[in-house]
Amino acid sequence: MKRILVLDDNQDILDIVHETLAYEQFEVKSTPDGEDVMPLVEKFSPDLVILDYRVAGKNGGELCKQIKTHPHFGNIPVIIFSAYVNNSSELFAYGCDAIINKPFDLGELVQKVNSLL
């Protein structure tokens, strides 16, 4: 079973994404706190990470860069959720593998996750 780590500070989005991915037979860990991401990456060892671009006190892009430059986790695909960035090249500059614009379609989410795994 593939493991997915999800970060979003909107509890409704976190719940919907968690439920959708669990239904699709993924093992999902989710957190609303950006400070939890790197410790969870190290402990949970996800196959894919989904990060909200703007979370309280953290920048999802910077977290993406931390994952991508980490010697053990740099090969993990990262998807960034964003409602704010019109220019996707800004987000790809952090090293993410895909972008999902909010609001998003759950079908698009599942398709992007499956294509990266």
Side-chain angles (χ1 to χ4, degrees), residues 18-112:
H18 191 111
E19 287 292 316
T20 300
L21 294 174
Y23 179 79
E24 294 290 328
Q25 306 301 309
F26 295 107
E27 184 179 345
V28 185
K29 276 243 189 294
S30 49
T31 180
D33 185 355
E35 298 295 331
D36 290 346
V37 170
M38 288 313 291
L40 279 172
V41 166
E42 291 171 15
K43 191 158 62 173
F44 183 57
S45 208
D47 296 292
L48 183 135
V49 178
I50 300 173
L51 302 169
D52 185 18
Y53 181 64
R54 287 204 178 153
V55 286
K58 280 284 184 182
N59 172 322
E62 291 299 326
L63 288 167
C64 175
K65 194 184 293 183
Q66 282 179 30
I67 294 166
K68 288 300 193 174
T69 58
H70 193 285
H72 300 298
F73 307 115
N75 61 339
I76 297 174
V78 177
I79 297 173
I80 294 181
F81 282 148
S82 179
Y84 304 101
V85 178
N86 297 330
N87 186 352
S88 59
S89 63
E90 284 179 46
L91 293 181
F92 282 118
Y94 289 109
C96 68
D97 299 278
I99 297 166
I100 296 179
N101 291 313
K102 290 180 179 179
F104 59 91
D105 177 90
L106 292 172
E108 176 193 10
L109 170 70
V110 170
Q111 182 268 321
K112 284 198 176 173

Side-chain angles (χ1 to χ4, degrees), residues 5 11 52:
L5 175 61
Q11 193 60 48
D52 185 18

